[in-house]
Amino acid sequence: MDLLIVLVVVLGFPALIACLWYWVSRRNRRSGVWRGATGGMLGIADEVFRPQAHYARQVQIVQQGLRAPAPAPGDPPHPSAGGD
């Protein structure tokens, strides 16, 4: 009986992690936003053991949401704007 409990605990933990990984990846795929499943699960480790990497990732997320700055009035047009 003790062996059975040990096997359930030892084999159950990796199975639980695999199920969580699968669930997170399916949820991300369904929402239409591609995010790596490990980003959320292993982000806690970055926050605890590498706070600089966690902070850099938070800055990157904020910068991705920002709009590009508008061109100044005296700037030449961008080559892809279609003007010859």
Side-chain angles (χ1 to χ4, degrees), residues 46-66:
D46 270 347
E47 189 173 356
V48 172
F49 296 110
R50 298 180 354 174
Q52 300 87 2
H54 177 71
Y55 177 73
R57 178 69 183 138
Q58 296 300 321
V59 169
Q60 183 183 22
I61 290 170
V62 169
Q63 287 178 348
Q64 285 177 350
L66 296 177

Side-chain angles (χ1 to χ4, degrees), residues 14-36:
L16 177 67
I17 296 297
C19 288
L20 283 173
W21 195 313
Y22 178 75
W23 178 74
V24 168
S25 67
R26 293 276 298 173
R27 187 181 60 151
N28 288 341
R29 214 174 311 153
R30 231 180 289 135
S31 68
V33 177
W34 176 249
R35 294 176 287 216

